[in-house]
Amino acid sequence: MRAAVLFIAAVTLFRVVMLAFNGTDLFVDEVQYWAWGQNLDWGYFSKPPMIGWVIRTVTDIAGSDAPFWVRVAAPVFHGAAALAVIWAALAWVDRWVAAWAGAIYVAMPLVTIGSALISTDTMLLPFFALAVGFYGRLILTPSAMFAVGLGVCVGLGLMSKYAMIYFVLGAVLVWLLQPAQRIRLTDAAIAAVFALAVFAPNIWWNIANDGQTVRHIVEDNAAWNGFALNWSGTAQFLAEQFLAFGPILMGVVLYQLWPALRGRLCGAALSLSLLSVPIILLVMGQALISRAYGNWAATAYVAAPMLAAYLLQNRRGLLVVSMAINLGIAVALPVLLAFPTAVTDAKGKPLLNRYLGLDEVSQIAGDLARAEGLDVITTGGRALTADMLYTLDGSGLDVRAWVGTAQPVASWYEAEFPITRPTPRDAAYLGPRPPAKCDGATRIGPVDPGFGYWSGRGLALWRLPAGC
């Protein structure tokens, strides 16, 4: 057990140190979460508020909004989640399995990526792991205190990402299919009350904002538009799960589906399966009928390390090999991020080209706007707006989102930072061409950093006349 804790601490420290050398720009989602933190609220356009709160707390303490400080909570939260996995596993399995579960978690490729780019999954997973631990302890020892702990963790998980609801699904499945592992209804009720109390501010915020976050998830993320089977997207999603967990470990977990369906799996193995595998299957179903990103099943990989370690305790060679593979990725990715132009594709572009040159585009556009005497700069699309809002913060330029004709608005920026139209005075616009129906726009100059994602895409800065 001590070795596992030291291993988790060492990996986490390595990730924090390497994060200081990360040469990539903040991705559009990361900038969005940073921007949320500048305007603290009980909810936001596409997610609940926890990630904005955490980033704001860290950057305020550090006195800096540099990418390192925006991201540093990621490896720390994942290190805490790994320790929480050990604590949770002790309620379901023995110490040896629990120690391996924590080690597996912290070395997973999913966690390696999540420790380099901050996301809402980063905020969610520690609370998910603690909820699994409290639930297991309530099976062994009915307790109002444990029930309160469970409820608070579920509530905080929901305040991090609505995918916390997958825990409730898994817990219900355990209660229905594992009579010997049911918690008292009294404890379940206490947990529900406290979860609702913690989550209530976000419910209120959604009601006050016309269900903004819920609508975004249903209409934009789920994107259920008719019935057409997306086999290629499903295959890609499944392949991403093998990458997220590691090929050997994922194969072991999926191998248990057949005996589970035939009723030959029981006890802790069945409970841990019910807390993980259904999540993968549900999101796979979403991928089949519409689309799904690989990280949408991230919550499966809290109980899955416990299940994998439990199933492989008599095949420890596979555990060692899988850990070696995952550790190789855990070392290689931070090194690659420190030298983001070192590895290129067949066309000579860096593999991390998507994360390069973003800040430079905003800086060039800002310099051109100021040279023209313009103090308002706008653009269409979430990516450019996000980076300008971050890079030009404190520059004296008023960054605004150009809102299209579609309703409802397409992004948080359009909802919170729309440009006033018709424009009261001349403004700068960043894009390959000026907005439609804006007569009199004139081209100021090209905006091309010479490298990175936006290079060669024909971006330019335009002067939009007053009244546009």
Side-chain angles (χ1 to χ4, degrees):
M1 185 66 69
R2 180 178 297 178
V5 172
L6 291 175
F7 174 74
I8 291 167
V11 171
T12 301
L13 179 61
F14 169 75
R15 287 170 173 162
V16 170
V17 171
M18 291 304 297
L19 198 59
F21 298 96
N22 191 322
T24 62
D25 294 333
L26 292 177
F27 188 56
V28 56
D29 290 339
E30 295 178 290
V31 174
Q32 176 175 265
Y33 304 145
W34 167 85
W36 288 352
Q38 308 312 298
N39 300 271
L40 297 176
D41 209 339
W42 290 108
Y44 297 101
F45 182 81
S46 59
K47 298 289 191 301
M50 183 66 73
I51 191 166
W53 296 352
V54 170
I55 291 174
R56 175 63 178 273
T57 300
V58 173
T59 54
D60 277 1
I61 292 173
S64 171
D65 291 320
F68 172 83
W69 294 111
V70 173
R71 290 169 167 163
V72 74
V76 174
F77 265 64
H78 276 301
L83 297 176
V85 165
I86 292 178
W87 179 81
L90 289 172
W92 298 91
V93 292
D94 61 35
R95 290 173 60 86
W96 186 93
V97 173
W100 266 99
I104 289 171
Y105 176 91
V106 81
M108 285 191 302
L110 173 76
V111 173
T112 295
I113 296 171
S115 296
L117 303 170
I118 195 164
S119 72
T120 48
D121 292 320
T122 307
M123 306 294 107
L124 166 63
L125 294 176
F127 299 119
F128 199 102
L130 290 171
V132 171
F134 277 119
Y135 189 87
R137 280 163 177 77
L138 281 169
I139 293 171
L140 300 172
T141 309
S143 162
M145 184 178 296
F146 286 157
V148 170
L150 174 60
V152 170
C153 288
V154 171
L156 291 173
L158 289 169
M159 292 293 276
S160 302
K161 190 174 183 179
Y162 296 154
M164 186 69 200
I165 199 69
Y166 288 134
F167 168 80
V168 178
L169 169 66
V172 169
L173 289 175
V174 171
W175 198 90
L176 290 174
L177 301 177
Q178 291 271 71
Q181 296 192 341
R182 291 176 176 173
I183 68 173
R184 293 186 312 180
L185 289 177
T186 302
D187 290 335
I190 292 172
V193 168
F194 276 84
L196 183 61
V198 173
F199 186 49
N202 185 252
I203 297 175
W204 169 83
W205 182 91
N206 266 286
I207 293 172
N209 288 272
D210 194 28
Q212 194 176 85
T213 310
V214 175
R215 187 178 64 242
H216 169 77
I217 291 172
V218 173
E219 295 179 0
D220 298 334
N221 282 358
W224 294 340
N225 297 313
F227 187 79
L229 299 183
N230 181 13
W231 294 108
S232 62
T234 304
Q236 178 179 336
F237 170 80
L238 186 57
E240 288 170 345
Q241 301 317 296
F242 276 87
L243 174 61
F245 196 29
I248 294 176
L249 297 176
M250 190 65 187
V252 169
V253 170
L254 292 181
Y255 183 73
Q256 298 306 308
L257 280 178
W258 180 241
L261 291 173
R262 295 186 63 187
R264 292 169 52 191
L265 209 60
C266 60
L270 178 57
S271 294
L272 294 173
S273 296
L274 294 172
L275 289 166
S276 55
V277 176
I279 301 172
I280 298 172
L281 296 179
L282 276 173
V283 183
M284 190 183 301
Q286 161 67 23
L288 182 61
I289 63 176
S290 178
R291 61 168 185 167
Y293 295 111
N295 70 302
W296 286 6
T299 51
Y301 302 108
V302 170
M306 308 178 205
L307 176 62
Y310 179 84
L311 296 172
L312 289 176
Q313 55 189 317
N314 295 321
R315 296 187 177 182
R316 300 183 183 185
L318 285 177
L319 270 178
V320 173
V321 173
S322 65
M323 182 63 72
I325 294 172
N326 288 355
L327 271 179
I329 298 172
V331 171
L333 181 63
V335 172
L336 175 61
L337 292 170
F339 302 96
T341 61
V343 181
T344 61
D345 59 18
K347 297 180 180 180
K349 287 187 176 181
L351 290 180
L352 297 174
N353 198 57
R354 181 65 185 87
Y355 305 94
L356 300 175
L358 309 180
D359 291 357
E360 284 76 9
V361 164
S362 297
Q363 197 61 59
I364 293 170
D367 290 343
L368 287 174
R370 282 191 294 268
E372 287 287 311
L374 302 174
D375 60 3
V376 176
I377 186 168
T378 182
T379 187
R382 191 168 70 100
L384 286 172
T385 308
D387 197 82
M388 286 206 304
L389 196 67
Y390 173 73
T391 302
L392 300 179
D393 182 49
S395 68
L397 289 170
D398 184 12
V399 177
R400 293 285 164 175
W402 186 269
V403 182
T405 57
Q407 293 295 327
V409 294
S411 73
W412 177 74
Y413 306 101
E414 292 185 11
E416 298 294 328
F417 301 100
I419 190 168
T420 301
R421 289 164 63 188
T423 53
R425 59 186 185 277
D426 286 8
Y429 179 87
L430 176 62
R433 60 190 63 84
K437 300 180 180 179
C438 192
D439 298 333
T442 56
R443 189 173 186 268
I444 295 173
V447 178
D448 192 328
F451 71 100
Y453 180 76
W454 293 109
S455 181
R457 294 178 180 266
L459 288 181
L461 196 71
W462 305 81
R463 175 185 282 269
L464 306 182
C468 183

